[in-house]
Amino acid sequence: MEVKHIPVLLSTTVLCILSCSAALDIVSAHQRIKDGNTIVSAGETYELGFFSPGKSKNRYLGIWYKKISPCMVVWVANRETPISDPSGVFEVTTEGSLRILSDDNTVIWSSNSTIPVTNVNPVAQLLDSGNLVVWGSSEKENLIWQSFDYPGNTFLPGMKFGKDLITGRERYLTSWKSPDDPSVGRYKIWIDTNGYPQLFVGDSLFRRSRLGPWNGLGFRGLALENLNPVYYAEFAVNQKEIYYRYKLKSSIVLRRVLMHDGNLVQFNWIERTQEWVMYGNPILVDNCSGYGSCGPYGSCSVKLPPCNCIDGFEPRVPKEWNRGDWSSGCQRKKPLDCGSGTQMDGFQKISGVKFPDTRRSWYNVSMSLEECEIACRRNCSCTAYAELYIKNGESGSGCLLWFDALMDIREYDDNQELYIRMATSELPGESRFNNKKGVLRVVVSVSLAAVLLSVVVYVYRKKMKRSHKKGRGYIRLIRIIRVLRWKTLMKYLFFSLHKIAKATDNFNIDNKIGEGGFGPVYKGVMEDGQVIAVKRLSEASQQGLDEFQNEVLCIAKLQHRNLVKLLGYCIQGNEKMLIYEYMANKSLDSFLFASALAHYPWYSSRHSLYTSRFTPPNHS
């Protein structure tokens, strides 16, 4: 980060027209602070009074550093309503509101804060943090207002920056119009809470730059903040508020300022040399700092040319791309398979990038990375996923999903990984966290196709020998092929025999919940806690093959909330199984016919696999 020594005059340098006397740190109700008088925090760190910025003659009420000269203002009250002469007065009303009055008692500015109770004595206090607060009583209880909720262009240690989800209040920085005018300028820094919260810098027309999402140690796109010896950062996302703040680890004097030209800079006060040292803009550090400079699915690098398409993508408008206009971004070389009936998309892992724009995203702080992949795989709109938090650069926790074109990606020097949805044919390898499992899945899929084809041929020959109606035999062959073709099955999840055996305790008799012409049905519990029903084809079954065909075809066509869902299948060696969701409310026939059939010893509610989701009403 670039370090510069700062000359005497800065955008927050002011001409302080003050008296030499300083009051205490508290202002009581109806105790007036006139222009020329000030109050000072208990540790004499900050001072509050009237000032004139730069070459301006207008007067403003503000807070600045007490022992640092020239005066460096960190907060201004009446930014939009200056006083043209030194006649201003600052006071606290009995209702707990702060006011600035002109010489004719006209209210120039007010905090509009009120106390919900009566018979109290509100006081205003300037704290050593630079925060001006209003207490409901002289005992300094019941905080009813604070200047930290209304920041200007300066971000001080301990100040929260974000959104209060209870009150709806947003805390953000706004630049000055110029070094001589503290009114709200063109630029703004804010936390966008759409999707997973992220920090933007820009103006009313466009986003100038963006920090990636918080990963537990810092914002993606900046150096890891919590590894420095000067301060530590905190980013909170909960039901009450979303905020970012930093706190100092030492007695250093530090502040961050959004300058009038849109640059965010950090200033450190050096006591030995009695001067401010500026650390260059931590956001706009190179040509890739601008928002979306390479367009959708484009990745920016400090190398030349700066923009490149992610693997598996190509320029959307090649002519513009070749002329150095990369704003149109990139598009997929091959469309996704998801939604076409196969659902065989995979995920390409890329490392060392700033995470894309998260305004259209979803997150869960407790999900594992494996669960994250499953959630993204099941939703065709999900374009990418990643681990939300890291721990010292290693594996962490949480899940972050994206649901739109990936925007504002840049190369970044770390190892946190992003997984982008790709058509299987575009993947250089197989799926993510278990290559052996992925290879096995492909092998099993190919084997499945070969096995099913062999079954089709066998059944066809057998049927042709028994039937003299070749036309009907041909139609039957086509029907079997359509039912058994592996693409129909592959839109469901493949379960390994090992997982099914583990879930059912190796097909323990105690887990058997029924049996029919197809074979026995077992109850099982997967590793993630999901309860399943496993329908296992019996080797002795004479109708199992036909039922296996019809089962897949019917379940694929019949989708209803009162019918059990087919979750997947397992075909390995001689084993052929269908895996369904398990319903604990018994079958629908048990509620419709139980009273009529209960006295028949052969009747059992276990015989029906098409278990209803219907829960009978309580007629008692």
Side-chain angles (χ1 to χ4, degrees):
M1 185 176 292
E2 184 180 2
V3 180
K4 296 181 179 179
H5 293 280
I6 304 305
V8 174
L9 290 177
L10 294 170
S11 65
T12 49
T13 302
V14 301
L15 175 61
C16 299
I17 303 178
L18 310 169
S19 66
C20 295
S21 62
L24 299 176
D25 62 337
I26 289 179
V27 179
S28 302
H30 292 310
Q31 177 186 351
R32 294 193 165 191
I33 302 297
K34 297 181 179 180
D35 191 334
N37 294 327
T38 65
I39 63 171
V40 178
S41 63
E44 296 189 349
T45 304
Y46 292 96
E47 187 170 12
L48 179 144
F50 288 91
F51 73 96
S52 293
K55 299 179 181 179
S56 174
K57 295 182 180 180
N58 289 329
R59 302 296 285 167
Y60 299 86
L61 180 75
I63 300 172
W64 56 85
Y65 291 100
K66 166 64 177 174
K67 297 181 179 181
I68 296 176
S69 181
C71 296
M72 306 299 294
V73 172
V74 299
W75 183 78
V76 182
N78 55 323
R79 296 180 67 179
E80 303 293 338
T81 53
I83 302 176
S84 59
D85 54 58
S87 64
V89 174
F90 171 63
E91 69 173 8
V92 182
T93 68
T94 54
E95 292 79 20
S97 180
L98 303 181
R99 298 195 308 183
I100 299 175
L101 308 175
S102 63
D103 57 351
D104 58 356
N105 287 329
T106 300
V107 177
I108 301 299
W109 173 87
S110 173
S111 65
N112 294 320
S113 55
T114 57
I115 302 175
V117 295
T118 58
N119 299 322
V120 292
N121 296 310
V123 297
Q125 182 182 20
L126 180 60
L127 305 180
D128 269 327
S129 61
N131 192 11
L132 177 63
V133 300
V134 178
W135 303 105
S137 66
S138 57
E139 285 75 23
K140 302 176 184 178
E141 298 176 350
N142 185 24
L143 177 66
I144 61 176
W145 187 90
Q146 60 178 345
S147 61
F148 271 16
D149 283 339
Y150 305 91
N153 70 335
T154 303
F155 189 32
L156 293 175
M159 179 184 291
K160 288 184 178 181
F161 177 82
K163 184 174 183 179
D164 188 318
L165 300 179
I166 304 299
T167 63
R169 179 185 297 116
E170 292 190 59
R171 309 180 186 97
Y172 50 85
L173 300 185
T174 52
S175 65
W176 287 18
K177 279 189 177 180
S178 72
D180 302 329
D181 185 358
S183 60
V184 177
R186 176 181 177 183
Y187 297 100
K188 170 184 175 182
I189 300 181
W190 76 101
I191 292 180
D192 194 317
T193 56
N194 294 312
Y196 186 74
Q198 57 188 341
L199 192 148
F200 280 98
V201 180
D203 57 25
S204 58
L205 298 178
F206 65 96
R207 290 170 172 81
R208 187 177 183 184
S209 58
R210 177 187 70 94
L211 294 184
W214 180 263
N215 62 12
L217 296 177
F219 288 106
R220 296 282 304 184
L222 287 183
L224 299 180
E225 291 193 275
N226 285 341
L227 301 182
N228 76 81
V230 178
Y231 65 89
Y232 69 92
E234 177 186 7
F235 189 76
V237 179
N238 54 53
Q239 295 180 348
K240 294 183 179 180
E241 56 186 343
I242 299 172
Y243 68 85
Y244 164 74
R245 68 178 173 185
Y246 67 100
K247 293 184 178 181
L248 299 179
K249 297 180 181 179
S250 62
S251 59
I252 188 174
V253 178
L254 181 153
R255 62 194 175 96
R256 294 175 179 174
V257 181
L258 177 60
M259 310 295 280
H260 68 279
D261 57 2
N263 284 316
L264 177 66
V265 296
Q266 177 174 306
F267 294 99
N268 290 14
W269 175 252
I270 307 300
E271 185 68 26
R272 179 179 57 83
T273 59
Q274 291 290 296
E275 61 183 352
W276 289 99
V277 173
M278 180 178 73
Y279 291 85
N281 193 330
I283 300 178
L284 297 175
V285 295
D286 53 43
N287 293 333
C288 291
S289 301
Y291 177 77
S293 56
C294 295
Y297 296 110
S299 177
C300 188
S301 169
V302 294
K303 304 175 183 178
L304 294 176
C307 294
N308 292 283
C309 291
I310 300 172
D311 289 343
F313 292 79
E314 60 187 4
R316 185 182 299 273
V317 185
K319 290 183 179 180
E320 294 180 358
W321 194 274
N322 294 333
R323 290 196 298 262
D325 181 0
W326 303 286
S327 59
S328 58
C330 307
Q331 62 184 3
R332 297 181 183 276
K333 292 181 180 178
K334 293 186 179 180
L336 296 175
D337 299 319
C338 190
S340 63
T342 60
Q343 295 189 7
M344 285 294 291
D345 292 337
F347 294 91
Q348 175 183 228
K349 178 177 71 175
I350 59 176
S351 301
V353 296
K354 182 177 76 171
F355 281 173
D357 190 342
T358 62
R359 279 177 293 164
R360 288 199 60 188
S361 67
W362 175 89
Y363 61 96
N364 185 306
V365 298
S366 60
M367 286 179 63
S368 67
L369 192 58
E370 288 78 9
E371 293 171 323
C372 195
E373 178 182 355
I374 293 173
C376 190
R377 185 180 295 277
R378 290 179 175 177
N379 190 328
C380 292
S381 299
C382 180
T383 53
Y385 72 93
E387 197 167 48
L388 185 57
Y389 299 130
I390 60 175
K391 297 178 180 178
N392 297 325
E394 301 176 355
S395 179
S397 63
C399 172
L400 182 58
L401 305 182
W402 282 265
F403 294 95
D404 204 349
L406 304 182
M407 177 69 76
D408 196 34
I409 301 175
R410 66 156 295 172
E411 293 184 8
Y412 185 62
D413 188 19
D414 77 356
N415 296 321
Q416 195 173 6
E417 297 160 340
L418 175 70
Y419 302 94
I420 300 177
R421 192 182 207 108
M422 302 289 293
T424 307
S425 59
E426 286 296 301
L427 294 177
E430 243 307 315
S431 187
R432 191 188 51 77
F433 31 158
N434 194 334
N435 288 334
K436 292 183 179 180
K437 176 180 176 181
V439 172
L440 177 61
R441 184 174 298 177
V442 173
V443 172
V444 170
S445 300
V446 174
S447 302
L448 171 63
V451 170
L452 292 182
L453 183 59
S454 300
V455 172
V456 169
V457 173
Y458 171 78
V459 172
Y460 171 69
R461 289 179 176 177
K462 189 174 182 180
K463 293 294 183 180
M464 289 298 292
K465 289 181 180 180
R466 294 181 179 180
S467 174
H468 298 287
K469 299 180 180 181
K470 297 183 178 180
R472 292 181 59 187
Y474 177 77
I475 294 175
R476 175 63 172 169
L477 173 63
I478 297 301
R479 176 177 174 271
I480 293 175
I481 291 175
R482 288 179 177 174
V483 174
L484 291 180
R485 62 183 179 180
W486 68 273
K487 286 187 178 180
T488 302
L489 280 178
M490 286 303 292
K491 70 179 181 179
Y492 299 102
L493 290 177
F494 171 79
F495 290 80
S496 67
L497 178 60
H498 172 74
K499 283 192 174 182
I500 298 301
K502 185 177 180 180
T504 59
D505 193 16
N506 201 23
F507 303 99
N508 193 308
I509 189 65
D510 293 335
N511 290 328
K512 186 176 179 181
I513 59 176
E515 186 168 3
F518 181 91
V521 181
Y522 297 88
K523 177 182 178 181
V525 180
M526 302 299 290
E527 293 181 352
D528 61 359
Q530 183 179 19
V531 184
I532 59 174
V534 181
K535 197 172 186 181
R536 188 181 189 189
L537 176 63
S538 171
E539 294 182 0
S541 173
Q542 298 298 318
Q543 60 175 339
L545 181 59
D546 288 338
E547 186 165 346
F548 187 86
Q549 301 167 21
N550 295 332
E551 196 89 35
V552 177
L553 184 61
C554 291
I555 291 297
K557 290 185 176 181
L558 297 177
Q559 299 291 332
H560 194 276
R561 64 186 180 89
N562 287 339
L563 292 180
V564 70
K565 288 184 178 180
L566 178 66
L567 299 178
Y569 65 95
C570 175
I571 297 181
Q572 189 167 334
N574 294 327
E575 292 286 355
K576 298 178 180 63
M577 288 173 280
L578 296 175
I579 293 86
Y580 296 85
E581 63 177 346
Y582 177 81
M583 290 297 159
N585 290 331
K586 300 182 179 180
S587 59
L588 183 59
D589 60 350
S590 67
F591 299 115
L592 297 178
F593 309 115
S595 60
L597 301 177
H599 61 281
Y600 289 99
W602 51 265
Y603 175 75
S604 172
S605 62
R606 293 179 177 178
H607 288 171
S608 175
L609 182 62
Y610 290 103
T611 307
S612 173
R613 298 171 182 266
F614 170 76
T615 302
N618 186 357
H619 294 293
S620 61

